[in-house]
Amino acid sequence: MDDALRRIEAKLRDADLRLRKPLDEGRIGAFERRHGVRLPEGYRRFIAELGDGGPIPPYGLLPLGRRPKGPLTPEFLRDRQSLPFLASPFPFTRGWITEDGEESDEGEPDQVAHGNLLLGDGGCGIEWRLIVTGPDRGSVWEFCDVGLGPSEPRRDFLGWYEDRLDRHPTRR
């Protein structure tokens, strides 16, 4: 984990990208206590050591627990990205295409808002979310109006963010 954080820090510096100020342990702990969760360690260390939001993925990384301005949430999730669901287990481990009314054997439609934290807008109606509870805890998933699924390949926050940095135009 230390190596991943140092690589990310170097890539941010090389691309002249700046994150917001890191959060202190008190603010992170208060967020966790208020919502009844322990953030995945890679994400927790990122916001404590490097910064709480900033550039990437393509429209920025949101600060802890914040929503973007505007209606980014797809219709099937609208009004369900409420932090009271953060401590409820995210039941999914496999992708789920929802557009044709397909059912999942892992969970119900109202459970897609459980146990995940919005990271940012991936463009074209895509949202990136960090799973904070449930069997896929620590993974980053992609949500859109036709379904949801883990990042490809499946990654934790640090691996996902580093990949986003590697794809940034100033890094090519």
Side-chain angles (χ1 to χ4, degrees):
M1 190 173 305
D2 289 337
D3 290 343
L5 287 165
R6 298 299 75 83
R7 283 193 313 270
I8 289 169
E9 186 174 43
K11 290 176 182 184
L12 286 165
R13 186 175 46 250
D14 291 348
D16 198 29
L17 297 172
R18 298 202 188 343
L19 296 172
R20 293 168 46 104
K21 182 179 168 184
L23 292 179
D24 63 39
E25 178 58 37
R27 290 193 61 199
I28 296 170
F31 177 89
E32 291 174 329
R33 286 186 300 281
R34 183 170 55 251
H35 297 291
V37 297
R38 171 80 177 177
L39 296 171
E41 198 60 28
Y43 178 71
R44 194 175 203 286
R45 288 196 53 197
F46 181 93
I47 63 175
E49 296 176 29
L50 299 183
D52 180 30
I56 314 290
Y59 305 110
L61 179 66
L62 292 171
L64 176 63
R66 297 247 183 100
R67 283 188 55 108
K69 292 180 181 174
L72 278 185
T73 306
E75 190 62 39
F76 78 99
L77 291 177
R78 195 150 292 135
D79 297 327
R80 295 185 180 167
Q81 173 52 35
S82 179
L83 292 180
F85 296 114
L86 199 57
S88 300
F90 182 76
F92 306 98
T93 61
R94 298 184 309 274
W96 180 22
I97 304 299
T98 60
E99 73 176 330
D100 294 326
E102 293 179 32
E103 293 185 17
S104 169
D105 61 355
E106 293 187 306
E108 300 298 323
D110 63 343
Q111 291 176 303
V112 299
H114 290 189
N116 64 78
L117 191 61
L118 183 61
L119 295 172
D121 176 12
C124 298
I126 296 169
E127 291 180 343
W128 297 103
R129 295 172 179 253
L130 175 64
I131 308 306
V132 298
T133 61
D136 215 31
R137 183 180 188 279
S139 294
V140 174
W141 280 51
E142 181 180 302
F143 285 52
C144 68
D145 60 343
V146 299
L148 59 147
S151 59
E152 287 291 331
R154 189 170 295 221
R155 292 191 172 98
D156 68 358
F157 174 79
L158 294 177
W160 170 82
Y161 191 82
E162 186 171 8
D163 179 65
R164 298 280 96 199
L165 276 175
D166 290 343
R167 294 170 185 235
H168 192 273
T170 62
R171 299 255 334 131
R172 293 185 183 152

